[in-house]
Amino acid sequence: MHGEDTDGRVADPSCSVPIDDLPDGLIVTDRFGTILAVNRAATRLTGVARERAVGGDINEVFPFRDHDGREWWKCLDPHSGLRTRTRVPERPLHLPGGQELHVTARLVRRPPRSGDVERVTITLRDGGARARLERSRADLVSTVAHELRSPLTSVKGFTATLLAKWTRFTEEQKLVMLETVNNDADRVTRLITELLDVSRIESGRLEIHRQVVDVAARARRIIAGRVAAGEPEDRFRLNVADELPEMWLDADKIDQILGNLVENAVRHGRGTVTIEIESVGWGVAVSVRDQGEGIAPELAPRVFRQFWRGNSRRRGGTGLGLFIVKGLVEAHGGTITVQRAPEGGAEFRFTMPAGTPDFA
């Protein structure tokens, strides 16, 4: 019988991978169901200690059942079926305590394609995590459908009306309707752009193109754009330290970070919006704060989640901006936090490391 050695490897020359390094739970049995090894992830997912598991019978130690109460190992029956059978499809199974795990298996044969089953390797994944992911995807679809419905309904309604009754409207009425269509089209474009950013962040495909960036100049540009769009100039205050290190950053993404944080302060805060840029030991820190109601400490961990809008849902926005900001900051090797500002309101503070592209 094979066993497990002291460094977390399956004691078999043909299977020398340190199984405790695997992110998923792993159980290895012989052809009769005697457990040869379990990894750390499997003990965490099942609550069964390794000392109790190894050497035991899988039906007794891990009595997996399907939704109809049938014993999974008996249904697996490694000794029956085609001698070419090696893969067992993933299925949701339950342990006696009610915990759901997604379980799949591989039948290891010797010789590989037509021999007897020598071992069975069983992989476990947390069913709760899978359910949460599925709920998150369902929420994503629901939210996107809701966010797209309103502007697209408006675009369709106004364009259909103009096409059918163009000559009945004055030039001023036509202009108002076309401006509305244009604004709603911009809203749809922003949502699609944000969703693409979310996809890149979650998949790790976000690309950072570094160059020397004057963070203070980018902040002034963001403020100038808000003023040009109609915000009063005295609503913004920019404080910049006398000396800042050279920063190699992605200019477009820095604009996106600053723009989203300023937009958040204007939309959800009150009073003066202050941007403060200072040097810290390993780079630059940028704070964006307002004088509004702020964010309760117990809600702070939720702020950077997808579609989080707190109690300000009525004020619009998709709830993706701060999630994207966090992803962009971390892609640069930086960090971001939220806390109560000195004058009340919320203060978002992010730090970026200084240095050349070789080690930034």
Side-chain angles (χ1 to χ4, degrees):
M1 179 185 298
H2 299 302
E4 187 183 11
D5 63 18
T6 56
D7 68 350
R9 297 172 185 264
V10 177
D12 180 345
S14 65
C15 188
S16 59
V17 176
I19 60 176
D20 279 342
D21 291 348
L22 300 175
D24 295 328
L26 179 69
I27 302 170
V28 182
T29 77
D30 65 12
R31 61 184 298 184
F32 302 107
T34 301
I35 299 172
L36 306 178
V38 297
N39 71 347
R40 187 179 296 116
T43 63
R44 174 178 54 81
L45 289 170
T46 63
V48 177
R50 180 177 293 170
E51 295 76 14
R52 180 190 162 209
V54 174
D57 183 89
I58 189 167
N59 269 326
E60 297 176 1
V61 181
F62 300 111
F64 294 117
R65 300 286 190 276
D66 64 16
H67 291 299
D68 296 322
R70 292 173 295 193
E71 297 181 18
W72 176 74
W73 181 263
K74 288 185 178 179
C75 295
L76 176 66
D77 192 6
H79 310 290
S80 67
L82 296 174
R83 297 179 69 84
T84 57
R85 181 172 67 118
T86 58
R87 296 183 180 275
V88 179
E90 184 178 82
R91 297 184 62 184
L93 301 175
H94 295 272
L95 288 173
Q99 180 184 7
E100 183 180 83
L101 296 171
H102 288 264
V103 181
T104 186
R106 179 173 178 267
L107 308 179
V108 181
R109 297 180 180 273
R110 291 291 181 269
R113 294 190 178 276
S114 59
D116 293 333
V117 173
E118 184 177 89
R119 292 191 313 277
V120 180
T121 59
I122 303 165
T123 303
L124 313 177
R125 291 187 177 131
D126 184 3
R130 178 75 61 87
R132 288 191 295 273
L133 177 60
E134 290 176 354
R135 286 196 299 270
S136 176
R137 289 174 176 170
D139 290 343
L140 173 64
V141 172
S142 175
T143 302
V144 170
H146 174 77
E147 294 294 335
L148 287 173
R149 184 183 296 115
S150 178
L152 289 178
T153 299
S154 171
V155 169
K156 175 61 177 177
F158 279 120
T159 52
T161 301
L162 285 171
L163 288 171
K165 303 177 181 180
W166 178 266
T167 57
R168 300 185 186 182
F169 296 109
T170 66
E171 293 300 316
E172 185 177 353
Q173 289 173 324
K174 293 175 184 176
L175 179 61
V176 170
M177 296 171 75
L178 288 173
E179 286 177 343
T180 303
V181 169
N182 184 64
N183 291 335
D184 284 333
D186 287 342
R187 181 177 165 188
V188 172
T189 301
R190 283 194 301 271
L191 176 60
I192 293 172
T193 301
E194 288 179 343
L195 290 171
L196 290 173
D197 287 336
V198 168
S199 174
R200 294 187 186 105
I201 290 169
E202 290 188 327
S203 64
R205 294 184 290 107
L206 190 68
E207 296 182 358
I208 301 297
H209 304 286
R210 295 183 184 268
Q211 60 185 18
V212 176
V213 173
D214 185 338
V215 179
R218 312 307 289 194
R220 292 188 187 96
R221 179 179 175 182
I222 296 295
I223 292 173
R226 301 293 310 194
V227 172
E231 295 285 346
E233 187 172 359
D234 59 2
R235 183 167 188 189
F236 301 96
R237 181 190 303 145
L238 177 62
N239 300 327
V240 182
D242 292 335
E243 294 186 10
L244 296 174
E246 183 177 84
M247 303 296 296
W248 285 77
L249 307 167
D250 188 311
D252 291 338
K253 291 178 174 56
I254 292 301
D255 285 348
Q256 193 172 357
I257 292 168
L258 290 170
N260 279 358
L261 291 178
V262 171
E263 169 71 18
N264 183 75
V266 170
R267 183 186 296 272
H268 303 297
R270 292 197 302 268
T272 302
V273 176
T274 301
I275 304 175
E276 187 167 293
I277 305 174
E278 58 186 324
S279 178
V280 293
W282 54 287
V284 164
V286 181
S287 300
V288 179
R289 54 180 179 262
D290 60 70
Q291 298 172 327
E293 299 174 0
I295 298 169
E298 64 271 17
L299 297 179
R302 308 180 194 175
V303 167
F304 298 106
R305 295 179 184 174
Q306 294 181 34
F307 304 116
W308 188 88
R309 285 182 280 193
N311 296 322
S312 300
R313 187 175 294 272
R314 67 185 184 278
R315 300 181 190 178
T318 62
L320 293 172
L322 293 177
F323 175 84
I324 292 170
V325 164
K326 184 175 185 290
L328 296 179
V329 169
E330 292 179 347
H332 282 84
T335 60
I336 185 167
T337 59
V338 59
Q339 61 189 11
R340 185 173 180 80
E343 300 177 352
E347 176 178 335
F348 289 86
R349 178 181 174 87
F350 68 90
T351 56
M352 292 289 194
T356 67
D358 292 333
F359 59 90

